[in-house]
Amino acid sequence: MKNEPKIDEPKNTQNLTAYKRMYNRHRRRPQDPNFSDDIPELLDFCNPSANTGIVPLSQPSHAQYKGPIFGFRDKHPGFIYIPQALSKDVQLQLAYQSVSEFCEKPHRTNIDMIPIKENEVENQESETMWKLWKDANVRDDFEENEMTCKSSKKQKISKENDTKVRYYRSMDKLSWATHGYHYDWTARAYNEGMKSPMPNVLSTLGSIFASVDPACNNKDTDNSKFNASATIVNYYTLRSNMGGHRDDLELDFTKPVVSLSLGLPAVFLLGGKTKEDEVTPILVRPGDVMLLAGGSRLAFHGMARLIPEQVKLPIVDSCFSCSDHEKDNQICTLFSKENNDIDEEQQITICRFLKSHRININIRQVLPHNMKEVPPNEKHL
């Protein structure tokens, strides 16, 4: 997942799948001179009137979320996109919880799967990944200011000679964190014995946004209710990408995967049931929410790259005002109950983090309603 393919298109593309060709087209590095020349090719749900392939969808009668939702006119059936569903305030709070709570014990991360190295130090309880990242960035700012203010070379701080402690758990190593059912990457299955509590805020957000899917909208039928029981939070840097894959390991495909985006924009690739099906590149912005639902629940999808903040993107259509449509749903109430006030220093630091990272939160239901636990030796191939 961390390996970066070459940017140049292969000379012989006839053996590549449609998905791989589209991936190669949009996978670039920020230093490439043509880094942003493909932006006009990206489908932008935040400007729905600019593309005839985007259609507004009707809200199901019992949907908890009341803002505008969109889909495709003639492809990717069941896929639902909710532009600017999360206000900046909510994004900030979610991002803060993602780096300060969601990636700490008892939840599981990619770091837990790798033994500690000889040159690494085990974190003390107070040495959380977020605290270490915040302290390091404050220190770097101080050192930079010191170097700027002092003209004498002898007084300058040499980072090369600075012996910094290498911690086992750090934001630089963090790629993902899971909650609820933890995915067993070796067995390629969920395991009833591998679980942690689902964060209430993620369970509730999952239910709110899943309610726009007609399959989750019959309030009189328990089988239609969305039961958020697993979450994976992905932490991306400008070097990151996500290869094409399907979310096909749950035991109930009638419920959607709810995806929330925070931080930097990204190029999201949405395919079909095979890698030879048509692939659509989508511009995903912070605050957007999407649902892999219905006929698109098992679609191949991935992320070609992040888009740095200095790249100019089309202006978001003025019809999307989070402050207007958030009043009609439960999101504001949810975060007021969470009472996660972030002080000014933390706000400044999390905003700095989001300028160079993307956080993607994926919420899903693992089991059908008539199943209480994952069957023993359950495995998908």
Side-chain angles (χ1 to χ4, degrees):
M1 228 165 84
K2 293 294 184 181
N3 294 333
E4 296 187 20
K6 293 182 179 179
I7 299 303
D8 296 334
E9 292 280 353
K11 294 181 180 180
N12 181 10
T13 62
Q14 63 182 8
N15 294 325
L16 298 180
T17 63
Y19 189 95
K20 186 62 175 179
R21 287 195 297 272
M22 187 66 75
Y23 177 88
N24 287 348
R25 166 65 185 147
H26 295 286
R27 176 63 185 155
R28 294 135 187 245
R29 295 185 179 90
Q31 64 268 28
D32 290 337
N34 64 341
F35 180 80
S36 58
D37 72 350
D38 62 336
I39 299 297
E41 302 172 24
L42 307 180
L43 197 74
D44 185 3
F45 280 94
C46 285
N47 287 284
S49 59
N51 193 299
T52 57
I54 297 175
V55 294
L57 301 177
S58 299
Q59 283 281 9
S61 57
H62 301 302
Q64 299 175 54
Y65 180 81
K66 303 301 181 182
I69 64 174
F70 297 87
F72 288 91
R73 183 178 301 279
D74 54 8
K75 56 184 177 180
H76 308 303
F79 179 80
I80 299 173
Y81 203 96
I82 314 177
Q84 301 300 280
L86 305 172
S87 69
K88 290 183 179 179
D89 231 18
V90 168
Q91 292 176 52
L92 196 66
Q93 292 186 64
L94 263 182
Y96 178 67
Q97 288 179 276
S98 295
V99 297
S100 63
E101 301 174 27
F102 299 162
C103 58
E104 296 294 339
K105 294 179 180 180
H107 308 303
R108 185 178 175 86
T109 72
N110 61 292
I111 300 173
D112 297 316
M113 302 179 67
I114 305 170
I116 189 170
K117 297 179 180 178
E118 289 184 3
N119 64 338
E120 292 178 332
V121 175
E122 186 75 57
N123 302 57
Q124 299 298 313
E125 186 174 351
S126 62
E127 295 170 331
T128 65
M129 289 185 279
W130 175 241
K131 182 183 185 301
L132 294 173
W133 191 91
K134 182 166 68 74
D135 291 349
N137 279 269
V138 169
R139 184 182 67 242
D140 288 347
D141 284 346
F142 175 78
E143 291 178 355
E144 184 177 341
N145 291 335
E146 286 287 293
M147 292 172 68
T148 302
C149 295
K150 297 177 181 179
S151 57
S152 172
K153 290 184 179 180
K154 293 182 180 180
Q155 292 176 309
K156 290 185 179 181
I157 301 173
S158 174
K159 289 189 178 182
E160 287 76 9
N161 297 327
D162 183 20
T163 56
K164 296 179 180 178
V165 177
R166 295 181 182 274
Y167 286 93
Y168 172 53
R169 301 175 64 83
S170 69
M171 296 302 298
D172 291 338
K173 294 171 63 178
L174 183 64
S175 294
W176 53 259
T178 54
H179 322 91
Y181 279 104
H182 299 309
Y183 181 63
D184 186 334
W185 298 91
T186 303
R188 200 171 181 269
Y190 290 103
N191 187 317
E192 191 62 35
M194 296 171 58
K195 289 192 291 187
S196 67
M198 273 288 293
N200 176 67
V201 65
L202 299 185
S203 296
T204 307
L205 283 175
S207 296
I208 289 172
F209 290 118
S211 70
V212 303
D213 178 10
C216 300
N217 197 249
N218 187 345
K219 69 176 184 179
D220 298 322
T221 305
D222 286 341
N223 289 344
S224 71
K225 294 178 181 178
F226 181 81
N227 178 27
S229 51
T231 303
I232 181 166
V233 180
N234 292 306
Y235 302 83
Y236 296 115
T237 70
L238 285 167
R239 302 185 303 274
S240 303
N241 63 294
M242 173 72 76
H245 65 283
R246 300 196 306 166
D247 293 338
D248 59 355
L249 295 169
E250 291 70 43
L251 303 180
D252 186 352
F253 299 139
T254 66
K255 303 302 185 298
V257 174
V258 179
S259 175
L260 319 177
S261 290
L262 311 169
L264 289 176
V267 179
F268 177 79
L269 303 180
L270 178 63
K273 292 183 178 180
T274 76
K275 287 192 174 182
E276 290 295 352
D277 292 332
E278 181 181 0
V279 181
T280 302
I282 299 173
L283 172 59
V284 179
R285 301 173 188 257
D288 290 355
V289 175
M290 69 178 91
L291 274 67
L292 291 176
S296 293
R297 173 60 180 81
L298 294 175
F300 278 94
H301 60 280
M303 187 192 76
R305 73 177 191 273
L306 302 192
I307 301 175
E309 64 166 346
Q310 62 267 27
V311 175
K312 291 186 177 181
L313 299 175
I315 297 174
V316 174
D317 194 301
S318 59
C319 70
F320 299 113
S321 171
C322 290
S323 58
D324 288 338
H325 61 254
E326 259 192 354
K327 295 176 183 178
D328 297 327
N329 59 50
Q330 303 173 30
I331 298 176
C332 289
T333 304
L334 169 65
F335 279 90
S336 64
K337 286 182 179 179
E338 287 286 311
N339 195 27
N340 287 320
D341 292 331
I342 310 172
D343 62 43
E344 185 177 358
E345 181 187 352
Q346 294 281 15
Q347 289 185 36
I348 292 172
T349 312
I350 192 64
C351 286
R352 177 173 180 172
F353 181 85
L354 293 176
K355 286 183 177 182
S356 58
H357 295 79
R358 176 181 183 237
I359 299 174
N360 180 218
I361 302 172
N362 296 284
I363 309 166
R364 61 197 74 198
Q365 176 172 325
V366 174
L367 303 176
H369 284 277
N370 61 355
M371 190 178 293
K372 300 300 181 182
E373 60 182 35
V374 176
N377 301 319
E378 184 63 40
K379 187 175 181 179
H380 291 253
L381 298 175

